[in-house]
Amino acid sequence: MKLIHQLIAGSFIGISFCLALYIIWVEEFQYYLPIPPSKSFSATEKIDFHFLESAPQKPIFLHFFNRDCRSARINLEHIPRFMKNYQEDFDFYIIDQDSNHTIDLPHYIKTIKDPQGELFNYFRVMSTPHAMLIETDGTVFFSGNYNNKNGLCGPTDIQWSAPAIALKFLYNQSDPPIFPAYQLLPTGCELSKL
């Protein structure tokens, strides 16, 4: 009888451990893996501004957002922190796939609704969160993610994310920095799985 109780207890512990690992995978670790690369826009490639009412007078920062992605929701809380320093020199846009909800953002960040994913497709964005910096002539200055090699940047290190650093370089009229691949490849929530 004692052996049966030990087997039941051991099975319960094993199942609990596997369940905990599964939950950790679903909620966190799966977002650390890179998504198979696509033909994303590269630096110096040109785009058109068909999605804006008029040609921009300032460089633009696009942040691609999908409410179903936990990482994107967390990230959206922190990006205004580094954007506010550049609100006079850049136009900031959130490209939001959700047409039913509004996002509470500072006045210097505008939202463009993209429920059909047309802009996501045009810019070849495969995952969220994702950022792009585009110069006024349509040249892509930066396209990448907010990964800091240990995962998604949070409140303490968002100012050191690749998009924030690229923003500083463009503001200073420097050439685009060279980032490691983990900051350029799609990471986070793969859109085809949301």
Side-chain angles (χ1 to χ4, degrees):
M1 192 65 148
K2 187 175 182 182
L3 179 63
I4 292 174
H5 287 275
Q6 289 175 337
L7 286 173
I8 292 172
S11 297
F12 179 74
I13 291 170
I15 291 170
S16 298
F17 180 73
C18 290
L19 183 60
L21 286 177
Y22 174 75
I23 291 170
I24 291 170
W25 170 259
V26 166
E27 291 295 321
E28 190 68 29
F29 290 134
Q30 70 173 327
Y31 303 118
Y32 291 96
L33 299 175
I35 294 164
S38 67
K39 294 180 180 177
S40 62
F41 275 93
S42 59
T44 72
E45 191 172 348
K46 296 243 185 188
I47 61 104
D48 68 53
F49 294 106
H50 69 280
F51 58 97
L52 297 176
E53 292 177 9
S54 61
Q57 302 301 310
K58 302 185 264 187
I60 64 172
F61 185 107
L62 302 177
H63 175 83
F64 294 85
F65 175 75
N66 184 299
R67 182 176 305 281
D68 294 332
C69 177
R70 178 179 168 267
S71 297
R73 289 191 311 269
I74 292 169
N75 187 257
L76 190 61
E77 295 173 22
H78 308 301
I79 61 171
R81 189 173 293 167
F82 69 81
M83 291 177 171
K84 71 180 176 184
N85 298 325
Y86 302 97
Q87 60 183 299
E88 300 299 320
D89 302 294
F90 290 85
D91 287 329
F92 295 98
Y93 295 93
I94 304 296
I95 310 299
D96 184 10
Q97 285 195 306
D98 189 342
S99 60
N100 297 324
H101 295 91
T102 58
I103 304 172
D104 186 27
L105 296 167
H107 70 281
Y108 53 88
I109 304 174
K110 301 170 190 81
T111 302
I112 297 174
K113 295 293 186 178
D114 188 32
Q116 303 302 319
E118 293 167 3
L119 291 176
F120 275 76
N121 287 333
Y122 174 73
F123 287 108
R124 304 176 205 139
V125 173
M126 298 180 58
S127 65
T128 60
H130 185 88
M132 290 184 78
L133 269 161
I134 304 166
E135 298 179 64
T136 55
D137 68 353
T139 302
V140 175
F141 187 82
F142 170 81
S143 181
N145 65 57
Y146 295 86
N147 191 326
N148 66 5
K149 198 170 187 176
N150 295 320
L152 187 68
C153 293
T156 59
D157 58 357
I158 193 74
Q159 71 274 10
W160 303 112
S161 66
I165 291 171
L167 186 63
K168 290 176 190 175
F169 272 69
L170 184 54
Y171 174 77
N172 291 321
Q173 298 178 351
S174 302
D175 290 335
I178 297 173
F179 289 106
Y182 69 84
Q183 291 183 313
L184 302 175
L185 294 174
T187 59
C189 301
E190 187 173 359
L191 295 174
S192 63
K193 293 182 179 178
L194 290 176

